[in-house]
Amino acid sequence: QVQLVESGGGLVQPGGSLRLSCAASGNIFSINAMGWYRQAPGNQRELVAVITSGGSTNYAEFVKGRFTISRDNAKNTVYLQMNSLKPEDTAVYYCNADVKTWRSSTGLYYQTAYWGQGTQVTVSS
């Protein structure tokens, strides 16, 4: 089994910064893409940013120039540096990882998307 544990959320004033972390652990053979999504009350979950194992990144338009995604492959960890935060950035932020695992009982590899439990980010004065 694979677990994703997020940290770093909290309350920040408009214009402030936060850094989210997400560490993957468990029966991991390799991780392809890792990303951050968010969901505000009454809204659908939306992509914020994604990064491949090779370091290629993609951002939602509404965070370009303000957020930066990065990862440490040796630690199976992805980060989201959030600067110039706005009240509309308030949401629960979820980590996602596309994980390849190997199961000894079948001798097969499996590719599965895992989610973290979410961390609340609130931007308010």
Side-chain angles (χ1 to χ4, degrees):
Q1 193 56 276
V2 174
Q3 299 82 35
L4 302 183
V5 179
E6 299 133 337
S7 60
L11 173 64
V12 63
Q13 292 186 341
S17 298
L18 282 175
R19 188 190 194 214
L20 305 183
S21 299
C22 172
S25 62
N27 181 29
I28 297 171
F29 180 81
S30 64
I31 302 178
N32 188 11
M34 300 185 80
W36 290 95
Y37 291 71
R38 71 186 189 186
Q39 187 168 18
N43 291 354
Q44 291 187 336
R45 192 172 297 188
E46 59 186 359
L47 174 69
V48 175
V50 63
I51 184 168
T52 68
S53 57
S56 297
T57 59
N58 193 31
Y59 295 92
E61 283 296 327
F62 51 78
V63 302
K64 281 184 178 179
R66 299 189 298 125
F67 292 9
T68 302
I69 190 170
S70 61
R71 66 189 280 176
D72 184 332
N73 289 332
K75 297 180 179 180
N76 290 330
T77 299
V78 64
Y79 307 96
L80 185 68
Q81 178 66 43
M82 304 186 293
N83 299 328
S84 302
L85 282 161
K86 305 175 182 180
E88 51 263 44
D89 293 318
T90 296
V92 177
Y93 284 71
Y94 296 92
C95 171
N96 173 272
D98 185 23
V99 181
K100 188 174 186 178
T101 58
W102 182 76
R103 203 172 297 172
S104 59
S105 59
T106 62
L108 298 176
Y109 291 96
Y110 298 84
Q111 198 82 33
T112 307
Y114 290 90
W115 291 91
Q117 79 286 356
T119 184
Q120 177 70 45
V121 171
T122 302
V123 185
S124 175
S125 55

